[in-house]
Amino acid sequence: MTKTFAVIGDPIDHSLSPNIHNAAFNALGMDCTYIAYRVPRGELKEGIESLRQIKISGFNVTIPHKIEMMKYLDESSEECKIIGAVNTVTNENDKLVGYNTDMDGFLEPIKKRDIAIKDEDVLLLGAGGAARAIVAGFAKEKAHKITIANRTKERGQELAKFAASLGVESNAMSLDEAGQNAGKYKFIVNATSVGLKNEPSPISTNAINSQSVVYDIIYMPMNTDFITQSKKNLATVIYGYEMLLGQACLAFEIWHKVKAPYDVMRKVLLGGF
Ligand code: ATR
């Protein structure tokens, strides 16, 4: 019988996850399908009930359900517990088990480039759900210090506390200060939503230089202003689509227990832009 997988969230119609996973199924000749299912905020419980009824084999969870989904799991991985959010769920005999592949999916393109994280300083823009998984990732890789720059100061301070709780030095500052000091950090990561609508970079990029590693987790558009300006300053850039692929490959491997066909998935993703 065909196994069905899904991504749930809202908005969901522009999600590229069905393209990525279905391309992988085709390439490997697997009898599986992956659909996008819109579940509005406030309707998660009912949404999950429907998925159980169709005997969903597994699903991804995206905005706005990553945190609330924790409540509906029968079991969760260590990473989920630390981050407090889930993006991948398996369903075996009606038992829902949660995983979080955002953290390792984020780290994957850094590792692929052989860029060391240990003892390096990180400037992280944003303090939302995505930023939390990123903090956990840098903590796991033993970064020296994480500076959180966020529009709302309190949220930035809150996330800095979370970093400290994971054993990493941390502090919080404004986006203005971050722009002035950006040259002092090895990694500069955008985890705000600024750029999704082609806005100018959330910080001044003047101090970014050839030693900087600039990572934007926004994948649509692929070339945000933050990325474009940083490239002009000769920084090493990492694209948001690489994190998207990283988390998708890891989810694929959790569900199917076979190596994800990365190149096939990358090709269809880039074709989707
Ligand atoms: P996600 O789960 O994708 O991280 P989120 O939790 O809504 O989404 O977080 C969005 C991030 O983008 C937050 O850090 C937000 O800053 P605030 O904490 O001040 O809300 C940031 N953000 C959104 N719009 C912004 C803007 N116009 N300027 C600066 N930061 C912005």
Side-chain angles (χ1 to χ4, degrees):
M1 204 178 73
T2 306
K3 285 186 175 176
T4 304
F5 296 83
V7 56
I8 61 169
D10 190 24
I12 204 68
D13 45 343
H14 290 108
S15 171
L16 294 169
S17 294
N19 311 41
I20 303 175
H21 286 275
N22 286 318
F25 298 151
N26 276 333
L28 300 183
M30 295 165 69
D31 188 13
C32 298
T33 185
Y34 187 111
I35 58 171
Y37 176 33
R38 190 174 78 90
V39 175
R41 189 187 290 278
E43 295 179 22
L44 182 58
K45 189 166 187 283
E46 294 77 5
I48 294 165
E49 206 37 59
S50 316
L51 291 176
R52 281 189 194 272
Q53 275 175 15
I54 65 162
K55 301 205 184 319
I56 195 86
S57 295
F59 56 98
N60 282 130
V61 183
T62 188
I63 290 170
H65 303 307
K66 286 188 184 188
I67 295 170
E68 203 195 344
M69 183 65 213
M70 291 292 289
K71 283 201 302 219
Y72 299 105
L73 297 172
D74 298 304
E75 260 177 45
S76 60
S77 72
E78 207 47 47
E79 271 125 13
C80 277
K81 286 180 194 139
I82 292 171
I83 300 164
V86 52
N87 81 321
T88 301
V89 180
T90 58
N91 179 18
E92 295 207 7
N93 304 318
D94 223 25
K95 188 175 95 175
L96 301 182
V97 181
Y99 300 85
N100 191 310
T101 68
D102 284 333
M103 179 180 82
D104 286 327
F106 171 81
L107 293 173
E108 199 265 352
I110 301 177
K111 293 185 171 170
K112 196 167 235 166
R113 286 172 172 76
D114 267 328
I115 302 172
I117 294 175
K118 190 166 184 290
D119 299 331
E120 297 290 357
D121 289 343
V122 177
L123 176 60
L124 175 58
L125 316 178
R132 219 176 141 84
I134 292 167
V135 163
F138 279 118
K140 179 175 140 183
E141 299 298 324
K142 307 232 176 317
H144 170 248
K145 182 174 178 182
I146 305 180
T147 298
I148 317 285
N150 196 51
R151 177 179 61 181
T152 310
K153 205 173 164 196
E154 296 71 34
R155 284 186 93 194
Q157 288 167 337
E158 197 59 42
L159 191 60
K161 270 193 216 156
F162 173 64
S165 78
L166 299 178
V168 190
E169 247 185 74
S170 62
N171 66 338
M173 60 172 58
S174 68
L175 290 166
D176 272 347
E177 280 175 277
Q180 286 157 24
N181 291 292
K184 297 177 185 156
Y185 296 86
K186 175 78 184 175
F187 293 94
I188 306 149
V189 181
N190 178 37
T192 73
S193 46
V194 180
L196 268 173
K197 295 177 189 144
N198 279 309
E199 302 96 323
S201 165
I203 59 165
S204 160
T205 51
N206 291 337
I208 289 173
N209 57 66
S210 61
Q211 300 303 303
S212 317
V213 177
V214 170
Y215 195 155
D216 199 332
I217 70 162
I218 291 177
Y219 60 85
M220 187 81 93
M222 188 165 121
N223 282 292
T224 56
D225 182 55
F226 177 55
I227 287 278
T228 304
Q229 297 304 327
S230 300
K231 263 200 250 178
K232 282 190 191 147
N233 295 357
L234 306 177
T236 298
V237 304
I238 305 182
Y239 294 95
Y241 85 80
E242 298 179 70
M243 174 177 177
L244 179 69
L245 261 181
Q247 64 77 29
C249 287
L250 292 168
F252 188 94
E253 288 164 9
I254 287 171
W255 289 326
H256 309 293
K257 311 223 167 20
V258 293
K259 186 131 188 61
Y262 180 89
D263 289 336
V264 169
M265 294 162 88
R266 177 171 186 273
K267 200 168 157 197
V268 72
L269 177 58
L270 292 178
F273 285 109

